[in-house]
Amino acid sequence: MIRPRIPVNPLPTGIVTPLITTAPAPVEQHPTAACACQHTIPAPVAPAASGPTVRLSPAGVLAVVGGGAAVVLVVGAVLVSMLLAVAITGASVAVCAVVLRSLLNNPPRQR
């Protein structure tokens, strides 16, 4: 049968992601009525919001890079084709303008 293989990283990357998050240490509460020594009680610290972490395998990274490259190529091809269409339209309008101007300035002579 097919058994999944767990990849082993032989070299550390330097990024350590804890698997288990620990709760912050409890803050001691002093009774304010019985204590006259003017302690300042630190405000409780809210735990950091830990959103979902996305971990990609090397194949996933290659898929994301390939998809991004494909999107860039498609958008580039569309923009270049639009630019080419505008250039061809402008050139044809310019040629039509020159022909109309030459016809209006120099009408054909009849003999």
Side-chain angles (χ1 to χ4, degrees):
M1 281 296 205
I2 298 173
R3 293 186 182 178
R5 296 184 184 192
I6 300 173
V8 178
N9 189 6
L11 298 173
T13 58
I15 300 172
V16 178
T17 305
L19 297 177
I20 300 173
T21 57
T22 58
V27 178
E28 288 186 27
Q29 296 291 332
H30 294 288
T32 55
C35 184
C37 56
Q38 303 296 327
H39 285 292
T40 56
I41 299 172
V45 178
S50 60
T53 304
V54 177
R55 295 186 185 195
L56 293 175
S57 64
V61 171
L62 287 177
V64 169
V65 169
V71 167
V72 167
L73 288 176
V74 167
V75 169
V78 168
L79 291 177
V80 166
S81 64
M82 289 173 65
L83 180 64
L84 185 61
V86 169
I88 290 173
T89 304
S92 65
V93 167
V95 168
C96 289
V98 168
V99 169
L100 282 175
R101 190 175 102 192
S102 67
L103 286 176
L104 292 175
N105 286 340
N106 301 324
R109 297 180 199 164
Q110 301 207 358
R111 292 183 189 190

